[in-house]
């Protein structure tokens, strides 16, 4: 086939890509020969900047040409910092966060798998956020992009995990930093011989100026479970979500884009997601903040969690099947009209 085409290398690449996917689907692994050629054809990644923090946890530093940065821990596969080109921190981190395993780190973007909250028999939010992940030595090829910095992580089931959740799996996460945007691509592969189901969430702790001055748009008219009222189901009646007390809701069948508007900072977070139909909105407010040992008493004022999630309907994977999600968080400057942002401009890009 390659002799009949001028661009023979392209044909070989497509054939190898197809063969690789076919082998992965049938056997859950790739032939070493195919893997080696695929690695040669894959664009070379930028060298990773890996440091150890004060607690000895390996930390990957991502940077890009405009000056923004992100920090990712191997512990929990967790993004713990995202700064814009002006070095402003965009993610919230608790002033009392515990950085010592096996405790979870409150802040950044924890990965919840295979359970969300207490909706199951496992520990709160599952065990993925309390495990040491590894650098993925052979990630699946994804479209390369200029001026991006990324890292691929993987968590595979261990004997310890199989005792509490007897399903063999591989959980991968690609974190990509580009100008004004942070992208996370999670993938879960069933490496077991029987089907299993799981919940998944990326808990986005966003840094805000004052929770009382924040509004969330894009979730109006949707059904939600209110975790403060025994998970009763309601329909959102407000034009936008605002905050004047403890708030913990799971919104269902949400749109692909949600806007979080910070009036005081005149900044809007745009959360775009795929493969995770639910969205969790949470702020503990004052009483709950004081009751949480790893959250400062006043920390609730400068944080808001808006999570990308699959909770109401768990994801089901057959043997050697794979699920993939995607989340992008970007920031834009808010424009005002009568003191409020035009939601159509943020949600639909109207000009």
């Amino acid at each position: 086939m390659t002799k009949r085409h001028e661009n023979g290398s392209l044909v070989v690449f497509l054939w190898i890509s197809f063969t690789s996917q076919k082998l992965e689907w049938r056997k859950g692994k790739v032939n070493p020969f195919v893997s080696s050629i695929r690695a040669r054809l894959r664009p070379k990644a930028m060298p990773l900047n890996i440091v150890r923090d004060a607690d000895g946890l390996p930390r990957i530093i991502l940077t890009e040409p405009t000056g923004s940065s992100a920090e990712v821990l191997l512990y929990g596969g967790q993004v713990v910092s995202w700064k814009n080109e002006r070095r402003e921190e965009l993610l919230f981190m608790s002033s009392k966060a515990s950085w010592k395993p096996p405790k979870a780190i409150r802040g950044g973007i924890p990965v919840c798998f295979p359970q969300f909250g207490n909706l199951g028999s496992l520990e709160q939010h599952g065990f993925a956020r309390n495990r040491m992940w590894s650098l993925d030595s052979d990630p699946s090829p994804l479209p390369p992009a200029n001026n991006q910095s990324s890292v691929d992580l993987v968590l595979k089931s261990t004997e310890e995990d199989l005792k509490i959740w007897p399903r063999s799996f591989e959980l991968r996460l690609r974190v990509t930093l580009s100008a004004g945007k942070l992208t996370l691509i999670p993938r879960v592969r069933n490496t077991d011989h029987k089907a299993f189901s799981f919940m998944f969430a990326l808990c986005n702790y966003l840094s805000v100026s004052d929770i009382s001055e924040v509004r969330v748009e894009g979730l109006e008219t949707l059904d939600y479970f209110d975790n403060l009222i025994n998970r009763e189901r309601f329909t959102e009646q407000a034009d936008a979500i605002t905050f004047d007390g403890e708030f913990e809701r799971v919104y269902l069948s949400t749109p692909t884009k949600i806007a979080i508007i910070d009036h005081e900072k005149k900044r809007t977070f745009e959360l775009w997601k795929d493969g995770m139909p639910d969205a969790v909105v949470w702020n503990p407010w004052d009483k709950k903040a004081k009751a949480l040992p790893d959250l400062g008493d006043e920390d609730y004022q400068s944080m808001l969690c808006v999570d990308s999630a699959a909770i109401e309907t768990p994801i089901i994977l057959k043997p050697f099947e794979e699920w993939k999600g995607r989340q992008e968080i970007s920031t834009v400057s808010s424009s005002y009209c009568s003191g409020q942002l035009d939601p159509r401009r943020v949600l639909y890009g109207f000009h």
Side-chain angles (χ1 to χ4, degrees):
M1 290 178 62
T2 56
K3 292 181 180 179
R4 298 180 183 177
H5 297 270
E6 294 181 2
N7 191 354
S9 59
L10 177 61
V11 177
V12 172
F13 175 79
L14 292 175
W15 178 83
I16 290 170
S17 178
F18 172 78
T19 306
S20 172
Q21 292 174 5
K22 189 175 181 181
L23 286 168
E24 286 179 332
W25 175 265
R26 290 186 175 180
K27 300 182 180 179
K29 58 184 179 180
V30 183
N31 183 291
F33 173 74
V34 173
S35 179
S36 64
I37 295 181
R38 190 178 70 179
R40 293 175 187 175
L41 293 172
R42 185 184 304 126
K44 291 184 178 180
M46 296 175 61
L48 291 177
N49 181 13
I50 303 177
V51 300
R52 288 188 178 273
D53 59 22
D55 295 300
L57 295 176
R59 183 181 298 238
I60 297 110
I61 312 295
L62 302 179
T63 58
E64 57 82 37
T66 68
S68 66
S69 66
E71 300 181 13
V72 188
L73 295 184
L74 288 183
Y75 179 63
Q78 187 164 337
V79 179
V80 292
S81 174
W82 175 34
K83 295 179 181 178
N84 62 19
E85 68 281 359
R86 295 185 297 277
R87 307 303 297 160
E88 297 171 332
E89 181 59 66
L90 302 173
L91 299 179
F92 165 85
M93 181 57 65
S94 168
S95 61
K96 292 186 177 179
S98 173
W99 296 85
K100 295 182 179 180
K103 295 183 179 179
I105 301 170
R106 187 173 296 281
I109 307 179
V111 178
C112 300
F113 171 88
Q115 173 182 305
F116 182 83
N118 58 2
L119 302 175
S121 60
L122 300 174
E123 60 193 276
Q124 179 85 357
H125 291 319
F127 51 74
R129 64 180 186 156
N130 300 325
R131 296 290 188 269
M132 190 64 72
W133 294 44
S134 302
L135 294 174
D136 194 352
S137 60
D138 186 30
S140 292
L142 294 173
N146 295 328
N147 296 328
Q148 290 188 346
S149 177
S150 65
V151 62
D152 289 281
L153 306 177
V154 61
L155 178 70
K156 299 181 181 182
S157 50
T158 64
E159 292 184 6
E160 178 185 0
D161 297 330
L162 291 172
K163 290 178 182 178
I164 60 173
W165 198 64
R167 289 97 172 161
S168 180
F169 69 89
E170 292 178 355
L171 167 56
R172 286 179 161 81
L173 180 67
R174 170 168 286 191
V175 181
T176 300
L177 174 72
S178 56
K181 183 184 297 184
L182 184 68
T183 303
L184 280 74
I185 302 176
R187 293 181 292 132
V188 177
R189 176 175 290 279
N190 180 348
T191 56
D192 213 317
H193 294 285
K194 58 182 181 296
F196 64 68
S197 64
F198 62 93
M199 300 178 190
F200 190 90
L202 296 171
C203 292
N204 303 302
Y205 282 81
L206 303 176
S207 175
V208 299
S209 55
D210 182 349
I211 186 62
S212 299
E213 298 296 323
V214 173
R215 54 192 283 132
V216 179
E217 297 181 347
L219 302 177
E220 51 275 4
T221 74
L222 299 181
D223 285 0
Y224 64 87
F225 293 123
D226 194 328
N227 287 348
L228 302 181
I229 313 179
N230 299 318
R231 299 193 75 243
E232 287 191 32
R233 186 166 182 151
F234 300 94
T235 300
E236 183 58 66
Q237 302 295 325
D239 293 335
I241 299 170
T242 56
F243 304 90
D244 59 5
E246 185 179 358
F247 199 99
E248 187 175 356
R249 297 177 182 175
V250 180
Y251 286 84
L252 312 174
S253 301
T254 60
T256 56
K257 186 180 285 188
I258 300 169
I260 302 96
I261 299 119
D262 189 335
H263 290 299
E264 187 171 320
K265 288 189 177 180
K266 296 184 179 178
R267 179 172 66 205
T268 294
F269 289 99
E270 292 182 348
L271 173 62
W272 184 93
K273 58 191 181 64
D274 183 53
M276 294 172 280
D278 305 322
V280 184
V281 182
W282 178 67
N283 183 283
W285 219 251
D286 54 351
K287 291 183 180 179
K288 184 69 173 290
K290 292 177 181 178
L292 293 170
D294 60 347
L295 188 66
D297 291 353
E298 307 299 325
D299 281 357
Y300 76 93
Q301 297 177 353
S302 58
M303 61 150 283
L304 176 64
C305 279
V306 182
D307 308 342
S308 302
I311 299 172
E312 182 189 25
T313 304
I315 298 162
I316 300 175
L317 287 183
K318 298 177 181 178
F320 308 119
E321 200 172 29
E322 182 178 277
W323 164 84
K324 182 174 78 171
R326 184 182 181 93
Q327 169 186 285
E328 295 179 359
I329 310 177
S330 58
T331 58
V332 296
S333 296
S334 301
S335 58
Y336 288 84
C337 179
S338 302
Q340 296 181 354
L341 180 73
D342 181 356
R344 296 176 305 165
R345 183 179 298 276
V346 173
L347 293 174
Y348 306 111
F350 289 176
H351 297 287

